[in-house]
Amino acid sequence: MRLTVLGGGGFRVPLVYQALLEGHGDVGIEEVVLHDVDARRLEAIGSVLRQLAEQAGRAPRVTATTDLEAAVLGASFVFSAIRVGGLQGRVIDERVALDHGVLGQETVGPGGLAYGLRTVPVMTRIAETVARLAPDAWLINFTNPAGMVTEALSRVLGDRVVGICDTPQGLCRRVARALGEDRMWFDYFGLNHLGWLRSARARGRDRLPELLADEARLTSFEEGRLFGVRWIRALGMIPNEYLYYYYNNAEAVRAISEAGTTRGEFLLAQQESFYESVRAHPEHALAEWRRVRHERDRTYLGEGRTAAGLGERDSCDVEGGGYEEIALALMAAIAQDRGDVLILNVRNRSAIPSLDADAVVEVPCYVDANGPVPVAVGEVPQYAAGLMNQLKAVERAVIDAALTGSPDTALDTAFLALGLHPLVPSTVTAGKILDGYVEQHPQLRTRFT
Ligand code: G6P
Ligand code: MN
């Protein structure tokens, strides 16, 4: 079987390959095809993978190409990890909003909308290529904003596209650990980066109330510390870590502003030096990758954490269980017809009654050779339904602005999206932020002028 990785020159690609070498999702992948628009990044990541393979016994063959059609043809699975506009684009997404006193973050707030506006057209063309050349392949999408992008792609690929994120599973893993359980049913629901854990059952009993009542255990892990016992008890649910940007928006914006650098700026500097040093010393590619990866993981999702006064991330959160594990678990569930339950981004059907059938949601899914089927979530608290509905309207305005209409009407739709976003304080600010994006992002200038 062939696995194609789009964005194959990206820094996180070795995580996927490493997980394959360790036998995760052992489904008989014989060939990994890396595709990227940047041949030099492919070269650098290729060196890292070669050195990983040398240390392993049997390793899937790796090839690399900048030709999308050649990469996709014959693939059983296509992973998408592209970043349209690169980290330079992320810096603009974050900085423009922050300069107007609004959250500057990769996926939440205006930054995520700008990222979506750039990404949806490119990913849609890729999905059309996959539909044409590998109609039986599964497209596993990590490209952010993952929920919005997956919804746009589902219009081309139907249920053959599945979006993934590591944060729901991360939360569930931490809750299970705090409760000393190894097998639980997690009643988690939401949109990507906008979800809640409503119950965690073991042996037929919901153990979440017990966890919420126990301050020491609740604050023994990330989300408990981020949101605090009082707020979690008020909600009666544990929010996904990304909800920090909503529930503690003022603190997050202040902390990011005071830090002086955004996450994108930090990563841009780090990655430029990584690719540069691998070019100069390819023989040390793997060692350098490991060093940089460690530095990056320790500070991962750093903005919210700094604001909450938290230090470095727990080492047990950092090691393993990231998005590559979820991607491989999904691949294994499909290829081996396993019937596993995984939290994934798929079309709603009727899982969450307050959203329509085509809305992509993030919920537990039963997964076998036929792909994922969402489980029925049922009614959710009104405040959660309200926020999800609002954000879904915003996401859809972005998709419309990215794909349809003349430059003028599309710009109106993009303005609507920004003006309706709950984290943008006024339409005046929304207009200024949008103008900033159009001015600074070449892709948006072309689309809107
Ligand atoms: C998590 C999220 C991803 C996000 C990443 C940001 O893994 O699930 O959606 O892209 O964090 O990490 P970074 O190191 O790029 O800030
Ligand atoms: Mn994510």
Side-chain angles (χ1 to χ4, degrees):
M1 256 192 305
R2 173 184 292 182
L3 164 64
T4 297
V5 183
L6 308 176
F11 185 78
R12 290 190 182 173
V13 169
L15 295 173
V16 173
Y17 192 64
Q18 203 170 32
L20 276 175
L21 292 178
E22 286 165 5
H24 300 275
D26 191 4
V27 293
I29 295 292
E30 289 124 15
E31 186 184 7
V32 177
V33 181
L34 306 181
H35 172 269
D36 206 287
V37 292
D38 183 336
R40 291 193 310 174
R41 285 163 62 93
L42 274 180
E43 180 69 39
I45 293 301
S47 302
V48 178
L49 300 198
R50 261 191 303 281
Q51 288 164 26
L52 276 170
E54 277 161 20
Q55 296 183 357
R58 262 185 72 236
R61 196 158 73 89
V62 179
T63 59
T65 176
T66 53
D67 178 341
L68 179 65
E69 297 197 346
V72 160
L73 198 67
S76 300
F77 293 94
V78 178
F79 286 5
S80 171
I82 70 166
R83 187 183 275 286
V84 176
L87 281 168
Q88 287 88 348
R90 178 172 179 175
V91 167
I92 297 168
D93 293 342
E94 294 176 341
R95 204 25 95 185
V96 167
L98 207 57
D99 284 346
H100 289 93
V102 178
L103 178 71
Q105 210 279 332
E106 174 196 26
T107 62
V108 178
L113 306 193
Y115 192 12
L117 283 169
R118 295 201 299 287
T119 306
V120 164
V122 176
M123 283 298 295
T124 298
R125 280 197 298 278
I126 290 174
E128 286 162 357
T129 305
V130 172
R132 187 160 50 84
L133 297 176
D136 293 332
W138 294 90
L139 177 56
I140 301 181
N141 178 50
F142 326 147
T143 289
N144 271 325
M148 184 199 297
V149 168
T150 302
E151 180 155 329
L153 301 191
S154 73
R155 298 178 185 183
V156 179
L157 291 168
D159 291 328
R160 289 247 162 213
V161 57
V162 183
I164 60 167
C165 180
D166 54 325
T167 59
Q169 272 86 353
L171 167 58
C172 295
R173 190 173 63 229
R174 290 185 278 277
V175 164
R177 196 189 301 126
L179 287 166
E181 295 284 358
D182 58 0
R183 231 179 104 76
M184 301 195 91
W185 177 269
F186 296 103
D187 182 13
Y188 180 95
F189 69 89
L191 305 184
N192 178 236
H193 292 183
L194 192 90
W196 297 263
L197 179 64
R198 177 166 60 176
S199 74
R201 292 200 292 276
R203 293 170 300 278
R205 207 159 53 83
D206 180 10
R207 299 202 56 201
L208 206 61
E210 187 189 323
L211 184 60
L212 266 49
D214 183 339
E215 170 150 12
R217 271 200 288 179
L218 190 54
T219 54
S220 71
F221 64 94
E222 185 73 13
E223 288 80 1
R225 289 182 209 133
L226 264 180
F227 295 101
V229 174
R230 198 173 172 196
W231 183 238
I232 291 177
R233 285 182 187 159
L235 289 172
M237 309 197 282
I238 306 182
N240 179 288
E241 55 199 292
Y242 276 86
L243 275 162
Y244 189 82
Y245 297 118
Y246 289 85
Y247 293 145
N248 292 73
N249 185 261
E251 288 76 7
V253 174
R254 195 176 331 117
I256 301 170
S257 306
E258 281 169 6
T261 34
T262 65
R263 178 75 176 162
E265 286 160 352
F266 164 77
L267 290 174
L268 178 62
Q270 190 200 47
Q271 309 267 300
E272 276 176 347
S273 85
F274 165 76
Y275 285 99
E276 197 46 56
S277 92
V278 173
R279 204 163 302 140
H281 300 283
E283 70 283 9
H284 297 143
L286 178 56
E288 181 63 4
W289 178 78
R290 286 205 169 116
R291 189 187 66 73
V292 172
R293 184 210 159 181
H294 182 68
E295 194 179 280
R296 172 180 180 143
D297 281 357
R298 274 185 310 146
T299 53
Y300 142 86
L301 286 186
E303 307 97 326
R305 316 196 73 257
T306 322
L310 302 181
E312 286 185 0
R313 198 110 185 171
D314 274 354
S315 59
C316 53
D317 281 357
V318 168
E319 73 216 11
Y323 81 141
E324 69 284 359
E325 302 279 330
I326 290 131
L328 294 199
L330 170 58
M331 201 165 72
I334 293 174
Q336 299 175 335
D337 198 16
R338 291 172 57 96
D340 289 335
V341 176
L342 297 166
I343 300 173
L344 301 167
N345 289 268
V346 298
R347 290 196 288 191
N348 183 44
R349 299 188 176 191
S350 56
I352 301 176
S354 50
L355 287 161
D356 61 74
D358 291 337
V360 165
V361 295
E362 193 169 77
V363 295
C365 297
Y366 171 85
V367 195
D368 65 12
N370 299 300
V373 178
V375 306
V377 169
E379 293 294 339
V380 299
Q382 194 173 27
Y383 63 78
L387 203 49
M388 286 192 292
N389 271 295
Q390 182 75 6
L391 264 299
K392 189 49 81 180
V394 169
E395 278 182 7
R396 286 176 170 169
V398 171
I399 295 171
D400 284 350
L403 295 178
T404 57
S406 66
D408 273 358
T409 57
L411 190 62
D412 288 346
T413 313
F415 180 38
L416 181 71
L418 263 100
L420 290 178
H421 198 293
L423 298 182
V424 177
S426 83
T427 57
V428 176
T429 307
K432 289 181 183 158
I433 293 175
L434 181 57
D435 292 346
Y437 287 145
V438 175
E439 196 183 300
Q440 294 192 42
H441 281 304
Q443 302 94 334
L444 299 191
R445 253 199 327 272
T446 318
R447 170 75 183 121
F448 293 123
T449 51

